[in-house]
Amino acid sequence: MYAPERHQQILDTARSRGRVEVAGLARDLSVTPETVRRDLTALERRGVLRRVHGGAIPVERLGIEPGVADREVHATNEKERIARAALDELPDGGSIILDAGTTTVRLAEMLPLDRELTVVTHSIPVAAILVSRPSVNLLLLGGMVRGRTMAAVGEWTRQQIGEVFADVAFMGTNGVSVERGLTTPDLAEAGVKRALIDASRRTVVLADHSKFGREDFARVAPLSAIDTIITDRGIDPELADDIENAGPRMVVV
């Protein structure tokens, strides 16, 4: 197994279990503990793991927000399925909001060409995909761009959102829990997300299973404000039932 393959396996294991230990990884990967320690150091330098005594934990557990590049390679198959399922939530025409996030980027790539849509977004990656689509009337919200998410945030962004009202908002999130609802690490990002939810008739959240049970620093919205959540089969069934009982319809793909 090459080093990049080991790194991805270590990261996936850490995210699914909450932590990894040097001894266990050395055994599972059939390498020496020294090799594992070098791998963990490399992943810590990428900002996706934090070294602790005897192992490492994913930065998500610390409330640290990974950058877009690192999130792009996480749960890629699950995000593809979630985005494809989200196509069923599109209006036949009209307007939608696409929040910043790696799964909403995939949805932007999949938007059908056989209907006209007005798309409102504060995400530069989403806008870059849609700017040349003849069937899309694109409204790119301005503001201070966060390098970590490549999305506009701040008072100027929220003021612009207040001027629109869309049919459906497709939202990303960092955390989902029954007690706290949707959460994200950054207060400015949370403020924009709240405004986007308020600016739509219906809200659909796109979140892979790793987001569930996680609670980040900044609150976005309670589950009662969400109409539908689309996730993958990795979610714990009991947790999915608890979330659905709190309000939103759960779609597991």
Side-chain angles (χ1 to χ4, degrees):
M1 183 181 293
Y2 294 108
E5 296 173 307
R6 282 200 316 274
H7 293 175
Q8 189 59 52
Q9 186 167 330
I10 290 170
L11 184 56
D12 290 343
T13 302
R15 283 170 167 163
S16 64
R17 297 179 183 173
R19 66 171 294 142
V20 287
E21 296 181 352
V22 171
L25 288 172
R27 182 181 61 252
D28 295 342
L29 298 172
S30 299
V31 295
T32 65
E34 290 73 19
T35 297
V36 171
R37 292 189 185 97
R38 287 195 295 270
D39 290 340
L40 295 181
T41 297
L43 288 165
E44 185 174 46
R45 287 172 179 164
R46 279 177 49 190
V48 293
L49 290 184
R50 179 65 58 84
R51 294 289 301 275
V52 296
H53 181 68
I57 57 178
V59 295
E60 292 92 336
R61 296 282 177 175
L62 302 170
I64 299 171
E65 187 178 12
V68 172
D70 289 312
R71 287 185 287 121
E72 274 286 350
V73 299
H74 172 61
T76 54
N77 292 333
E78 290 87 345
K79 290 174 181 177
E80 288 287 335
R81 295 201 304 271
I82 292 167
R84 197 164 299 281
L87 295 174
D88 292 336
E89 307 295 328
L90 287 171
D92 291 334
S95 56
I96 66 172
I97 289 168
L98 288 182
D99 185 22
T102 53
T103 311
T104 50
V105 164
R106 284 167 171 76
L107 177 57
E109 293 170 341
M110 296 179 185
L111 286 182
L113 302 176
D114 61 352
R115 69 190 78 174
E116 291 190 4
L117 289 171
T118 294
V119 179
V120 179
T121 188
H122 65 131
S123 165
I124 292 176
V126 168
I129 291 167
L130 298 179
V131 67
S132 60
R133 296 276 186 95
S135 58
V136 170
N137 177 28
L138 178 64
L139 279 72
L140 175 59
L141 302 168
M144 181 187 72
V145 176
R146 288 191 71 219
R148 192 168 292 275
T149 59
M150 299 180 68
V153 298
E155 179 61 27
W156 189 21
T157 311
R158 294 197 301 272
Q159 287 177 2
Q160 294 169 78
I161 295 169
E163 298 179 3
V164 303
F165 191 60
D167 296 312
V168 188
F170 292 94
M171 302 297 300
T173 187
N174 294 80
V176 185
S177 73
V178 174
E179 295 78 14
R180 300 287 180 259
L182 305 187
T183 55
T184 195
D186 185 76
L187 282 171
E189 197 95 36
V192 168
K193 286 179 181 290
R194 274 195 302 274
L196 292 174
I197 291 171
D198 291 342
S200 65
R201 290 185 176 85
R202 197 160 56 88
T203 300
V204 179
V205 173
L206 313 181
D208 70 77
H209 69 275
S210 68
K211 309 295 179 62
F212 290 85
R214 174 179 167 179
E215 297 176 350
D216 281 293
F217 173 71
R219 291 186 177 183
V220 175
L223 292 179
S224 58
I226 308 304
D227 296 280
T228 300
I229 298 177
I230 305 176
T231 188
D232 62 89
R233 293 187 293 270
I235 188 173
D236 179 84
E238 291 186 6
L239 179 55
D241 290 341
D242 290 343
I243 289 173
E244 191 159 49
N245 290 335
R249 175 175 66 105
M250 290 291 292
V251 178
V252 181
V253 295

